[in-house]
Amino acid sequence: MIEVIPFASLGRFDNEWLAARYHFSFANYRHRERDGLGPLLVWNDDTIQPGTGFPRHGHRDMEIITYVREGAITHEDHLGNVGRTEAGDVQVMSAGKGILHAEFNKEAEPARIFQIWIMPDAEGHKPRWETKAFPKGEAAGRLVVLASGREGDGDKGALAINQDAALLGATLPAGTTVTHAIGQGRQAYLVVARGTVRVNGTQIGERDGAVVSGESAIAIEAVGEAELLIADLP
């Protein structure tokens, strides 16, 4: 089954520097039918204005993946990590037993990001932060594992998370079809960052989400040029 979550139906928050859209319940937004999917608790679609961002704050026991769609984001934390992640690249912060961090858009243009929170497999992991620049051509026409806790995905260059889950991404030329196998008893959440795709024949538009359950595999066809992410989940 493929259940489309239209972008227009997402929760929303807007102020002078942040435009946030919530795929699942988050902060003061509550949707009783969208309280996450397995260990995936948060998928926020954020637009951050230049020279602004999230001041230092704390997290614990959460795997936080940031995928930059446009612009760039700069991370700083109490462990001494400082780094910049730009469009098409990914950062992972394993909050573990506790981390204080800040995220700012230090660029001249708005930054557009997906912020994805996944529950870890246990409490109290060592806090950790990493970022990786994925070659832009690498994701063209195929799915690439960006972050994962599944066995063997680290050998493929994926950033590590503490959960039996994976985030995959692809940029697809118009007319391209890719397939993704879903293991028995597993499910997936797919979000289209750009363009329109058909998943097993179901059309999903730009910035829409889709819950995939009870499917052994999905075929993803790019209606036009498209960019998408898939969270593969237990």
Side-chain angles (χ1 to χ4, degrees):
M1 183 178 75
I2 298 168
E3 178 192 358
V4 178
I5 310 297
F7 176 74
S9 75
L10 302 184
R12 61 185 298 154
F13 171 83
D14 296 279
N15 64 16
E16 64 278 5
W17 64 271
L18 175 66
R21 301 295 179 264
Y22 304 143
H23 285 254
F24 302 111
S25 296
F26 184 79
N28 293 326
Y29 170 69
R30 288 291 178 265
H31 193 303
R32 64 182 181 180
E33 296 177 0
R34 298 183 194 165
D35 278 333
L37 186 66
L40 174 63
L41 297 186
V42 171
W43 193 306
N44 291 352
D45 181 329
D46 293 339
T47 300
I48 304 165
Q49 293 303 312
T52 68
F54 301 96
R56 181 171 281 205
H57 59 285
H59 296 280
R60 65 179 301 123
D61 295 322
M62 194 65 65
E63 305 297 300
I64 300 175
I65 305 169
T66 303
Y67 180 84
V68 181
R69 296 172 49 233
E70 297 178 28
I73 201 80
T74 298
H75 167 98
E76 301 176 6
D77 64 45
H78 84 280
L79 302 176
N81 296 307
V82 178
R84 178 178 177 274
T85 304
E86 63 181 36
D89 298 337
V90 177
Q91 69 174 21
V92 167
M93 185 176 72
S94 292
K97 62 185 179 181
I99 193 168
L100 296 171
H101 81 124
E103 303 285 350
F104 282 96
N105 175 13
K106 296 186 176 183
E107 315 301 316
E109 302 295 332
R112 294 182 170 86
I113 66 173
F114 288 145
Q115 184 183 166
I116 300 159
W117 294 16
I118 295 176
M119 286 184 62
D121 54 14
E123 296 180 352
H125 285 290
K126 182 179 179 180
R128 176 177 51 83
W129 175 84
E130 292 181 90
T131 188
K132 185 165 185 178
F134 287 90
K136 299 302 180 283
E138 184 178 334
R142 68 185 186 92
L143 285 164
V144 175
V145 185
L146 306 175
S148 177
R150 303 182 309 184
E151 186 175 355
D153 282 345
D155 296 335
K156 301 174 185 176
L159 294 174
I161 60 172
N162 295 303
Q163 180 54 268
D164 180 24
L167 183 71
L168 302 93
T171 55
L172 303 179
T176 302
T177 298
V178 296
T179 60
H180 177 63
I182 300 173
Q184 186 173 3
R186 295 180 70 86
Q187 56 196 334
Y189 195 70
L190 183 149
V191 177
V192 181
R194 178 168 49 88
T196 300
V197 302
R198 281 190 286 265
V199 179
N200 289 2
T202 298
Q203 185 157 305
I204 304 171
E206 186 164 308
R207 298 168 79 184
D208 291 349
V211 177
V212 181
S213 59
E215 304 280 348
S216 60
I218 51 175
I220 306 160
E221 178 192 358
V223 176
E225 184 178 339
E227 178 182 3
L228 61 101
L229 295 177
I230 301 172
D232 186 301
L233 305 161

